[in-house]
Amino acid sequence: MEYMASQKLHALETTNTNNRCTPPLGKIKCNIDGVVFMNNEIVGWVAIVRSDSSHFVCCIIGFKSGILDLFMTEVITACEAFLSLYSWHAKNAILEIDNRRLWDAYMASC
């Protein structure tokens, strides 16, 4: 299942990860993911931002030296995405995550 959180703390669930849904009219969607390159001791993350018509808006990408577990890598990814969206004054954004543990931690902090 995919779990998405908007900045207004609305939750949406979809049952099929192969079907990417477009955000509601007037919103943008930011799909995030992280990766750990164990052999190179590097973690990386990417956030893809799409418009309400599913057009590509931008890509946020980053790397960091050191070994982190995948959960902490995805925490960094979410933070980077939130900071970028905040700096763009994007108030109608939906953050899509695929990590249930991160979703649960986020919802517990609200």
Side-chain angles (χ1 to χ4, degrees):
M1 298 190 82
E2 294 177 18
Y3 299 91
M4 296 181 270
S6 74
Q7 290 180 332
K8 294 182 181 181
L9 306 179
H10 295 286
L12 301 172
E13 276 192 19
T14 60
T15 56
N16 187 345
T17 57
N18 293 327
N19 291 337
R20 299 288 178 212
C21 59
T22 58
L25 190 61
K27 294 187 182 279
I28 59 172
K29 183 172 82 169
C30 182
N31 186 329
I32 65 169
D33 210 352
V35 65
V36 177
F37 299 100
M38 297 297 279
N39 293 340
N40 298 327
E41 297 184 357
I42 294 174
V43 296
W45 57 89
V46 65
I48 305 294
V49 180
R50 293 193 175 274
S51 69
D52 57 7
S53 57
S54 263
H55 290 108
F56 175 81
V57 174
C58 72
C59 177
I60 306 161
I61 190 167
F63 294 93
K64 180 176 176 61
S65 294
I67 299 271
L68 295 173
D69 65 22
L70 187 56
F71 177 72
M72 289 308 299
T73 302
E74 297 224 359
V75 168
I76 290 171
T77 306
C79 288
E80 291 291 325
F82 273 127
L83 288 172
S84 293
L85 293 170
Y86 180 78
S87 72
W88 302 335
H89 305 284
K91 302 214 184 284
N92 291 320
I94 295 172
L95 183 66
E96 182 179 350
I97 60 175
D98 60 2
N99 184 312
R100 178 62 190 243
R101 187 174 158 208
L102 180 57
W103 171 257
D104 290 341
Y106 174 76
M107 291 307 290
S109 70
C110 296

